[in-house]
Amino acid sequence: MTGRTSHNALPRDPSSIGTRSRYAALCLLSGLVLVAAALLAVEKFPDTELGRTIDAHLTQLADPESWIQ
């Protein structure tokens, strides 16, 4: 299979590997910032409706049994 319809893989672009790892690190950092902001909101406003709602959702997410429906 060496013709025009070959399934041979194209060579990888070395610069795409660095871009992918930076993107993954940025996604991870963004997720951690979001969770930290939610925890800070719960700690700062524990008796408000927002604080109770966020706390309930985070508690549900912390339970692996709730992930399986």
Side-chain angles (χ1 to χ4, degrees):
M1 297 183 82
T2 57
R4 294 183 65 185
T5 59
S6 174
H7 294 282
N8 293 337
L10 296 173
R12 296 187 82 171
D13 182 16
S15 65
S16 70
I17 295 171
T19 304
R20 207 171 333 170
S21 63
R22 280 192 299 269
Y23 179 74
L26 183 63
C27 288
L28 179 62
L29 181 64
S30 299
L32 289 174
V33 166
L34 182 67
V35 169
L39 290 174
L40 184 65
V42 168
E43 192 172 311
K44 182 80 173 166
F45 309 108
D47 296 328
T48 63
E49 185 177 347
L50 175 65
R52 289 190 299 267
T53 302
I54 293 172
D55 187 41
H57 285 292
L58 290 178
T59 303
Q60 183 180 10
L61 282 174
D63 182 22
E65 294 284 327
S66 70
W67 298 356
I68 303 169
Q69 294 290 329

